[in-house]
């Protein structure tokens, strides 16, 4: 119940009997009875509203709909309670006298009587009739509790039978078929943000919208849209169950109209009852996120006075906003840094997943024997550090089978907990020593937390995508979870990364000579790869990338030498004959790129 309603206290005999139930059944029953008492309190308030105030015809109609819906919920909850209470009966006495009502019906009457006593005591200060009625009501409650305890004892002993609990009641319905709305097949995931004033709900929803492409919606907007669609004057006067139906109906409409949208956010969750009902409809498809922060922190962030924040809190708490915490799938302590908050949000909005990765040995990557041996020794060394080292992989050309001695780098990815990275440094020094001059080592060290928080460079995102597409790894720890990287994300990352690549390529072109040949060529290939991603083309291998880029609209064929020719010239120190065609290809691409972006 809310803070403005009395609790329901069951009689001692019934309470002792319920203690013998299994935990699962006792929890189901406690939930059903608690919700039944809550619905009865709301039903009482709805009937008071329709009888008391001067309402328009539309408002009266809304109240009547609410009362019908609450009565339907009341009966459904009573039937749910009877499913458990019925198990108390002794099934062996089919000849026992039949009682006139079920145990849940008596509990329902006790709930209503408890409310009547509470309301009468509140009215007694100003109403003489109510004052005289209170002792009689307490007497009725004592008699009802005694009768309920006696009935429970008779039922358990097999001296009485209970009737079938189904009520078959219809409230404002033309038939008995269920009309409950179900989630659309296009509605995949919804994050609902709750919390008190200035706790960061809007900031969080905006961040998820910006980083994950979520559709951000306001609960008030959805309810108003639904009310307008169905001709309701005040959707907030409806029951929690009915509000949840309206919310889900509007979410379904948005999802059906935007079938490519994979994530929705709704805010702000101020009513614990309606979000609980929505959770019943949607299950894990709905994730409730509750943001918490101390009052002092929230006042400081608000830029207003403590009194102003407290007043807003009071309004939200009167609707049950603070009780949403008990329903939350995710509790976020938002008293720390923005980096911490965003990391938690991204793990919720784009959760990492266990990925089946393909393991291989260095000897199967086409590396020279000395390089493969040094790589195997390094892998064995860091594997011995235990679960703190989560993954080791050679990325780029070794994974693609195009590594060339004397030309290609060894791009190494190590995912390790921060606490063991200093030991990885030691293993890297031994790795470099073992390699000698056979290859240049380029290590990337990253923690699992950085990955699951999606603190990724474009290059690292591409590497993870390649691993998830089947590029080999040298070591992976059990249970490793990685962010799922899709092609759409890589295409957007290409847009952000390409300007820096173009600027670097211009700088290298301005100083083009045999010593910068290798860097200039690699930036040419990288720029073409990024441009192709924007066109949803996913070529691999430098020769294939340059050939595909030459087919982009308006760009003539770039006559660059093959990778084998360039690598051979580089190893032999004979770079003059390949430098000119590479600089020509760079000039050609830069001219084309400038023309594409000209005003």
């Amino acid at each position: 119940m809310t803070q403005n309603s009395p609790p329901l206290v069951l009689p001692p005999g019934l309470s002792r009997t319920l203690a013998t139930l299994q935990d699962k059944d006792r929890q189901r029953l406690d939930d059903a009875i608690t919700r039944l008492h809550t619905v009865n309190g709301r039903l009482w308030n709805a009937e008071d509203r329709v009888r008391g105030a001067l309402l328009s015809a539309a408002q009266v109609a809304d109240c009547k709909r609410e009362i019908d819906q609450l009565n339907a919920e009341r009966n459904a909850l009573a039937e749910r309670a009877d499913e458990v209470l019925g198990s108390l009966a002794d099934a062996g006495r089919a000849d026992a006298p039949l009682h006139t009502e079920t145990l849940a019906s008596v509990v329902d009457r006790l709930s209503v009587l408890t409310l009547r006593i509470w309301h009468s005591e509140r009215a007694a200060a100003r109403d003489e009739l109510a004052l005289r009625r209170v002792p009689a009501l307490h007497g009725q409650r004592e008699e009802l509790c005694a009768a309920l305890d006696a009935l429970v004892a008779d039922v358990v002993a097999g001296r009485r039978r209970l009737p079938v609990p189904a009520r078959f009641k219809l409230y404002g319905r033309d038939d008995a078929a269920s009309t409950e709305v179900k989630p659309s097949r296009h509605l995949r995931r919804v994050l609902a943000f709750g919390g008190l004033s200035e706790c960061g709900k809007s900031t969080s929803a905006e961040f998820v919208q910006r980083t994950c492409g979520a559709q951000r919606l306001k609960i008030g907007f959805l309810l108003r849209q639904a009310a307008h669609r169905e001709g309701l004057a005040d959707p907030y006067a409806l029951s929690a169950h009915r509000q949840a139906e309206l919310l889900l109906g509007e979410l379904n409409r948005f999802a059906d109209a935007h079938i490519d949208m994979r994530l929705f956010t709704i805010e702000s969750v101020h009513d614990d009852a309606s979000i609980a009902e929505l959770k019943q409809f949607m299950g894990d498809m709905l994730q409730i996120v509750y943001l918490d922060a101390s009052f002092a922190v929230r006042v400081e962030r608000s830029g207003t006075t403590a009194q102003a924040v407290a007043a807003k809190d009071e309004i939200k708490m009167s609707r049950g906003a603070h009780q949403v915490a008990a329903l939350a799938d995710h509790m976020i302590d938002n008293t720390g840094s923005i980096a911490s908050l965003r990391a938690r949000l991204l793990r919720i909005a784009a959760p990492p997943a266990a990925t089946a990765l393909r393991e291989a040995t260095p000897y199967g990557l086409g590396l020279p024997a000395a390089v493969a041996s040094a790589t195997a020794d390094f892998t064995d060394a860091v594997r011995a550090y235990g679960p703190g080292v989560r993954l080791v992989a050679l990325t780029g050309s070794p994974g693609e089978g195009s590594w060339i001695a004397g030309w290609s780098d060894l791009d190494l990815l190590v995912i390790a907990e921060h606490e063991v990275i200093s030991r990885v440094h030691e293993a890297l020094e031994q790795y470099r020593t073992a390699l000698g001059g056979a290859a240049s080592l380029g290590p990337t060290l990253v923690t699992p937390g950085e990955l699951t928080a999606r603190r990724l460079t474009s290059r690292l995102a591409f590497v993870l995508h390649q691993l998830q597409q089947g590029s080999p790894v040298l070591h992976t720890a059990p249970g490793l979870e990685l962010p799922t990287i899709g092609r759409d994300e890589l295409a957007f990352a290409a847009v952000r990364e390409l300007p820096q690549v173009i600027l670097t390529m211009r700088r290298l072109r301005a100083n083009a000579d045999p010593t910068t040949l290798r860097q200039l060529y690699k930036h040419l290939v990288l720029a073409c790869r990024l441009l192709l991603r924007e066109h949803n083309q996913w070529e691999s291998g430098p020769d294939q990338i340059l050939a595909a880029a030459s087919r982009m609209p308006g760009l003539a064929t770039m006559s660059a030498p093959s990778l084998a020719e360039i690598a051979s010239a580089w190893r032999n120190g004979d770079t003059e004959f390949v430098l000119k065609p590479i600089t020509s290809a760079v000039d050609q691409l830069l001219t084309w790129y400038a023309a594409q972006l000209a005003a």
Side-chain angles (χ1 to χ4, degrees):
M1 295 298 292
T2 67
Q3 58 184 354
N4 295 322
S5 298
L8 174 61
V9 180
L10 298 178
L14 175 60
S15 296
R16 286 193 296 273
T17 302
L18 298 182
T20 65
L21 293 170
Q22 293 183 354
D23 287 346
K24 181 179 179 180
D25 287 338
R26 192 166 60 249
Q27 290 170 3
R28 283 181 58 208
L29 180 62
D30 181 66
D31 176 70
I33 291 178
T34 300
R35 292 174 64 190
L36 174 65
H37 191 48
T38 299
V39 166
N40 279 335
R42 290 175 175 161
L43 186 58
W44 188 292
N45 294 334
E47 290 172 343
D48 273 354
R49 286 201 309 275
V50 78
R51 283 193 299 263
L54 295 176
L55 303 177
S56 67
Q59 290 172 324
V60 169
D62 282 355
C63 282
K64 291 293 186 181
R65 291 189 190 97
E66 180 184 8
I67 290 169
D68 281 349
Q69 186 64 50
L70 286 169
N71 272 316
E73 289 181 60
R74 176 187 184 186
N75 281 281
L77 290 167
E79 289 182 6
R80 191 176 305 173
D82 270 326
E83 290 175 3
V84 179
L85 291 169
S87 67
L88 300 174
D90 184 343
R93 291 293 308 276
D95 60 337
L98 181 67
H99 194 64
T100 56
E101 60 183 336
T102 68
L103 290 175
S105 293
V106 185
V107 172
D108 179 59
R109 287 202 288 128
L110 180 61
S111 167
V112 173
L113 184 54
T114 300
L115 291 166
R116 184 173 291 115
I117 291 171
W118 187 78
H119 283 283
S120 296
E121 287 176 340
R122 286 168 59 89
R126 60 182 185 277
D127 186 336
E128 182 66 26
L129 179 60
L131 180 63
R132 293 198 302 270
R133 187 186 299 150
V134 169
L137 291 173
H138 278 287
Q140 289 178 7
R141 188 186 185 283
E142 291 176 5
E143 291 175 351
L144 184 58
C145 286
L148 178 54
D149 275 350
L151 175 60
V152 169
D154 285 347
V155 167
V156 172
R159 294 187 294 269
R160 280 194 177 274
R161 289 184 296 124
L162 295 173
V164 175
R167 285 156 175 78
F168 304 113
K169 292 193 175 183
L170 303 177
Y171 287 96
R173 301 260 299 279
D174 295 329
D175 55 58
S178 173
T179 60
E180 284 192 351
V181 63
K182 295 181 179 180
S184 164
R185 63 188 179 90
H186 297 132
L187 186 61
R188 296 174 178 87
R189 294 187 73 227
V190 177
L191 303 184
F193 289 101
L196 296 179
S197 304
E198 311 300 337
C199 66
K201 299 182 295 295
S202 296
T203 298
S204 297
E206 183 180 1
F207 175 73
V208 172
Q209 178 189 38
R210 188 173 68 251
T211 57
C212 300
Q215 174 66 58
R216 183 182 174 193
L217 297 168
K218 297 282 190 175
I219 290 177
F221 167 76
L222 293 174
L223 284 176
R224 288 192 298 273
Q225 285 287 100
H228 177 73
R229 197 184 311 281
E230 300 202 15
L232 302 174
D234 181 9
Y236 296 100
L238 301 175
S239 70
H241 186 88
R242 182 59 177 143
Q243 287 185 36
E245 286 184 333
L246 295 176
L247 284 173
L248 182 52
E250 289 303 306
L251 285 170
N252 282 345
R253 288 185 177 89
F254 269 93
D256 291 341
H258 305 86
I259 60 175
D260 293 329
M261 186 63 62
R262 297 184 174 275
L263 181 64
F264 290 82
T265 67
I266 57 175
E267 56 181 291
S268 298
V269 181
H270 294 156
D271 183 352
D272 60 316
S274 61
I275 200 66
E277 294 287 349
L278 189 60
K279 183 73 171 177
Q280 290 284 330
F281 283 134
M282 299 183 66
D284 289 340
M285 187 185 302
L286 172 68
Q287 294 289 291
I288 302 172
V289 182
Y290 190 88
L291 292 118
D292 194 21
S294 69
F295 181 73
V297 168
R298 293 188 289 114
V299 169
E300 181 180 356
R301 290 176 178 171
S302 72
T304 60
T305 65
Q307 291 82 355
V309 175
K312 288 164 50 175
D313 279 353
E314 185 175 353
I315 294 172
K316 290 178 172 62
M317 292 173 69
S318 70
R319 299 169 181 164
H322 59 302
Q323 294 173 334
V324 174
L327 305 171
D329 299 285
H330 308 276
M331 287 284 295
I332 296 181
D333 178 4
N334 191 20
T335 57
S337 67
I338 290 291
S340 174
L341 171 64
R342 290 176 172 177
R344 284 292 307 276
L345 290 172
L346 284 175
R347 291 188 185 104
I348 294 168
T355 306
L357 301 176
R358 180 169 69 91
E359 286 201 43
T361 70
Y363 300 101
L365 300 181
L367 301 173
V371 175
S373 177
T375 304
D377 290 344
F378 171 79
T379 304
D380 290 340
V382 296
R383 183 186 287 115
Y385 298 160
V389 176
R390 309 293 289 161
L391 180 143
V392 178
L394 287 177
T395 64
S397 54
E400 297 174 351
S402 58
W403 194 85
I404 300 175
W407 170 264
S408 301
D409 291 331
L410 279 179
D411 293 322
L412 176 72
L413 171 65
V414 178
I415 302 174
E417 300 291 351
H418 178 71
E419 292 75 14
V420 301
I421 283 183
S422 60
R423 300 181 67 188
V424 175
H425 291 165
E426 298 171 4
L428 284 171
E429 286 303 313
Q430 297 171 6
Y431 190 12
R432 287 191 181 94
T433 300
L435 286 172
S440 175
L441 183 63
T444 297
L445 306 182
V446 62
T447 67
E450 290 165 357
L451 293 183
T452 58
R454 302 183 81 88
R455 292 295 177 117
L456 309 173
T457 63
S458 299
R459 169 65 182 165
L460 184 52
F462 180 62
V463 166
L464 294 177
H465 175 75
Q466 285 183 308
L467 296 180
Q468 291 163 352
Q469 295 302 307
S471 291
V473 301
L474 303 175
H475 163 68
T476 180
L480 174 65
E481 291 187 332
L482 297 175
T484 301
I485 309 296
R487 287 188 169 183
D488 287 346
E489 183 173 348
L490 292 179
F492 282 120
V495 176
R496 296 191 298 269
E497 184 182 8
L498 183 59
Q500 182 61 54
V501 174
I502 293 293
L503 293 177
T504 303
M505 189 161 58
R506 282 205 184 97
R507 176 174 55 79
L508 293 169
R509 175 62 183 89
N511 300 300
D513 61 34
T515 64
T516 61
L517 168 68
R518 186 168 175 272
Q519 282 185 290
L520 187 61
Y521 174 76
K522 290 199 169 188
H523 277 78
L524 171 65
V525 172
L526 177 56
C528 289
R529 187 198 289 268
L530 295 176
L531 285 166
L532 287 171
R533 285 185 202 167
E534 287 195 66
H535 289 78
N536 198 29
Q537 296 183 49
W538 301 85
E539 298 290 342
S540 62
D543 294 338
Q544 294 85 347
I545 288 171
L546 293 180
S550 295
R551 295 190 292 271
M552 287 191 294
L555 180 59
T557 300
M558 292 179 288
S559 301
S562 69
L563 173 60
E565 293 173 316
I566 297 171
S568 176
W570 177 264
R571 287 196 305 269
N572 297 329
D574 186 18
T575 57
E576 289 293 342
F577 86 95
V578 295
L579 179 60
K580 185 174 181 179
I582 289 175
T583 55
S584 295
V586 168
D587 290 340
Q588 190 177 345
L589 181 66
L590 290 174
T591 300
W592 175 87
Y593 183 76
Q596 305 310 301
L597 304 185

